[in-house]
Amino acid sequence: MCVSTTFWLYCKGLVSEEVIRDESKQIGGFGVAICDHEDNRLYEMNKVLGGEESTHQQAAELAALIHALNWALELDLGRVTFFCDDSNILEYVTGKAEPNESTVATLVKEVSLLQSKFSFCEALPVMKDITFVLKLAKDAIASQIRWREGDVYMETCPVCYEHVTSDEKFEVPGCFHRFCFDCIKKQADVALEFAKPLVNCPSFGCNSELQREDCEGVLKPKQLDRMTMYKKASMIKAKVLDFVCCTTCDNVMAKPDLIEYTKTFFVDAELSGVRKCTECGYCFCGECRAGWHSGMTCEEYFKRESNEPSPEDVER
């Protein structure tokens, strides 16, 4: 191993309250990744945490760091930089602040002792997405909430408390919370019913969002299309642009883009008011949104429609 090479350590300790069968428990786990100086992942590890480390978040974070530093020493890595995504932990291990709790203080001293065993060891704040190491920690926790029944592993859904097989659990990308398919469907149904552009993770206080591609195979095609439509509408609104929704296929279009597209078929689109959907090709009136009524004002069109005899009247 080259003595001048500095290796990067990413670690994450987690404490999570989980429902196992019919009992609520706090369990912990951690993940560690060792990367080279170009940030290529070389080694990964995850394990469960026990004792106070599984009930105290800062203790879990420090335990993960201790495991990472011990592992780096075992691999004979002389120079390391470790990254902290918890600002309090960073201040503790850099000596800028002292913890109030004795358990945390003891772990901080252990970190300091391990740091002294390297020829170079520094702590820095995380400056990148560390979802990969969070996933390792979440996997360590997930391994503790399963139990075996016959040939399958079972888990409890934390929303409905139903026992389902592990294969029937949906894992939210980003936060890695796990729920049964039915609860994810209900969460999506509620969001879509209120035309929300995002479907949030059902876990209380979690800000992770479900994307369309995450829900394929769980939601129906029409639900997936509505997710796309609401997301597109939200993006258009965010840009402070007027938008138009096709009455035939629900395609959402920015008004300037729609006009330019229509001009390729109707050169006088801006003056006449005709609009052509970019998705299904339906031609409609940009003013009243009804089918295109060339040569008639909206008032004339609707007056004619209201006076148009119904098929029943024609038969009489």
Side-chain angles (χ1 to χ4, degrees):
M1 197 71 68
C2 180
V3 294
S4 62
T5 300
T6 299
F7 294 86
W8 295 354
L9 309 184
Y10 297 96
C11 49
K12 187 65 185 174
L14 287 178
V15 172
S16 179
E17 187 165 341
E18 301 287 343
V19 178
I20 306 173
R21 300 197 182 209
D22 297 317
E23 188 179 353
S24 181
K25 292 183 179 180
Q26 274 197 313
I27 53 179
F30 74 88
V32 172
I34 298 178
C35 303
D36 62 19
H37 66 284
E38 294 181 345
D39 219 16
N40 299 307
R41 266 175 269 172
L42 303 176
Y43 311 103
E44 290 182 344
M45 169 178 65
N46 65 340
K47 288 185 179 179
V48 303
L49 291 171
E52 196 164 357
E53 294 169 357
S54 65
T55 60
H56 191 297
Q57 181 56 40
Q58 287 193 343
E61 294 277 18
L62 288 163
L65 177 54
I66 289 167
H67 279 281
L69 292 173
N70 271 318
W71 194 22
L73 287 170
E74 289 174 12
L75 293 170
D76 198 25
L77 308 182
R79 298 173 57 87
V80 297
T81 296
F82 62 87
F83 297 90
C84 300
D85 71 337
D86 184 311
S87 58
N88 290 322
I89 297 295
L90 182 62
E91 291 201 338
Y92 295 157
V93 298
T94 54
K96 294 178 181 178
E98 292 185 4
N100 296 321
E101 298 178 56
S102 59
T103 300
V104 176
T106 300
L107 292 170
V108 169
K109 287 180 182 177
E110 190 171 347
V111 170
S112 180
L113 177 63
L114 288 170
Q115 285 181 273
S116 67
K117 295 181 179 182
F118 293 89
S119 60
F120 173 83
C121 185
E122 66 173 348
L124 294 175
V126 168
M127 302 298 289
K128 60 172 277 184
D129 180 11
I130 59 166
T131 302
F132 62 95
V133 78
L134 174 64
K135 168 69 171 159
L136 290 171
K138 281 286 187 179
D139 285 346
I141 287 176
S143 70
Q144 302 172 73
I145 64 176
R146 302 186 182 110
W147 69 92
R148 193 172 187 127
E149 288 188 6
D151 295 330
V152 298
Y153 284 98
M154 304 293 292
E155 296 181 36
T156 302
C157 174
V159 175
C160 66
Y161 299 105
E162 289 291 326
H163 302 332
V164 297
T165 66
S166 295
D167 291 340
E168 294 175 314
K169 291 289 283 289
F170 178 93
E171 187 172 85
V172 180
C175 64
F176 309 109
H177 289 125
R178 294 168 63 81
F179 309 92
C180 71
F181 288 153
D182 284 344
C183 286
I184 287 295
K185 290 174 184 176
K186 288 176 184 176
Q187 182 80 354
D189 285 340
V190 171
L192 295 174
E193 183 179 346
F194 289 94
K196 291 183 179 179
L198 301 172
V199 178
N200 293 325
C201 170
S203 184
F204 180 75
C206 183
N207 295 319
S208 292
E209 301 163 357
L210 296 173
Q211 305 297 328
R212 178 197 164 105
E213 56 270 22
D214 302 328
C215 299
E216 290 180 359
V218 178
L219 301 183
K220 295 176 182 177
K222 283 188 177 181
Q223 289 177 303
L224 295 171
D225 291 342
R226 286 173 68 193
M227 283 182 72
T228 302
M229 181 183 75
Y230 294 150
K231 184 71 176 285
K232 190 174 180 181
S234 176
M235 291 171 65
I236 291 173
K237 286 179 181 178
K239 294 179 181 178
V240 200
L241 292 174
D242 289 332
F243 69 96
V244 178
C245 183
C246 175
T247 56
T248 300
C249 71
D250 290 333
N251 180 36
V252 180
M253 301 157 280
K255 189 177 286 186
D257 295 340
L258 174 60
I259 292 173
E260 288 305 312
Y261 176 77
T262 307
K263 281 181 180 178
T264 61
F265 300 90
F266 304 89
V267 292
D268 64 339
E270 204 154 5
L271 292 174
S272 68
V274 62
R275 302 291 183 264
K276 184 179 177 69
C277 177
T278 59
E279 190 70 29
C280 69
Y282 176 64
C283 293
F284 59 95
C285 174
E287 187 66 29
C288 69
R289 303 293 192 268
W292 177 233
H293 43 82
S294 179
M296 284 188 287
T297 65
C298 298
E299 185 179 355
E300 291 170 339
Y301 172 75
F302 282 108
K303 187 175 181 180
R304 190 196 74 172
E305 288 295 299
S306 63
N307 293 329
E308 193 77 27
S310 67
E312 291 81 4
D313 291 335
V314 173
E315 288 177 5
R316 289 176 192 159

